[in-house]
Amino acid sequence: MTYTIGQIEELTNIRQNVLRYWETVIPGFAPRKDLGGRRVYTERDFEIVLRLKYLIYERKFTIEGARNEILRESQAYENNAEAMNAIRELRRDLTELYFTIKKAKK
């Protein structure tokens, strides 16, 4: 599943200008752009946004500290690939359900 920047903003309550800033300072976080130049976020990009939000807003990390933590964690994820895949699948299902419910309400 892929997301627009507007959908990521809606799901995370992180403003689009903040998301664009994070793209410039977090290595490996660069949503691709479609032919129209619009950002297309992957599941991995969505995970990074959620993790950054937690580290910066909840744990009070600086952006540099959050960047270093994400780099450290990415190496640890390789050792827990099975668990991470299960989490990704659940998150994808919940997100799809959210947008399905939202469409049904209109």
Side-chain angles (χ1 to χ4, degrees):
M1 182 169 193
T2 60
Y3 309 94
T4 66
I5 194 168
Q7 289 173 319
I8 294 292
E9 179 181 34
E10 182 179 339
L11 290 167
T12 64
N13 291 320
I14 301 295
R15 294 178 44 188
Q16 292 181 24
N17 63 313
V18 173
L19 294 168
R20 287 189 291 271
Y21 171 69
W22 286 353
E23 290 175 29
T24 66
V25 295
I26 304 298
F29 177 56
R32 62 182 167 79
K33 294 186 180 180
D34 65 11
L35 295 176
R38 293 176 296 270
R39 286 167 173 78
V40 178
Y41 289 80
T42 63
E43 291 287 329
R44 183 178 179 279
D45 296 326
F46 183 38
E47 289 174 10
I48 291 172
V49 170
L50 291 173
R51 191 65 183 149
L52 283 168
K53 178 181 178 183
Y54 172 74
L55 291 172
I56 293 169
Y57 294 106
E58 300 294 324
R59 299 275 315 274
K60 306 297 184 197
F61 277 58
T62 63
I63 191 72
E64 293 83 15
R67 179 183 59 225
N68 292 338
E69 182 68 11
I70 285 177
L71 290 172
R72 186 190 66 73
E73 289 174 353
S74 67
Q75 294 169 349
Y77 286 160
E78 293 173 11
N79 297 332
N80 298 314
E82 189 175 319
M84 289 308 300
N85 287 335
I87 290 170
R88 284 185 182 112
E89 189 174 318
L90 286 170
R91 184 177 290 127
R92 183 176 27 252
D93 292 346
L94 289 171
T95 304
E96 287 176 9
L97 183 59
Y98 170 81
F99 284 116
T100 300
I101 291 169
K102 185 176 175 184
K103 281 182 186 178
K105 286 185 175 183
K106 289 184 178 182

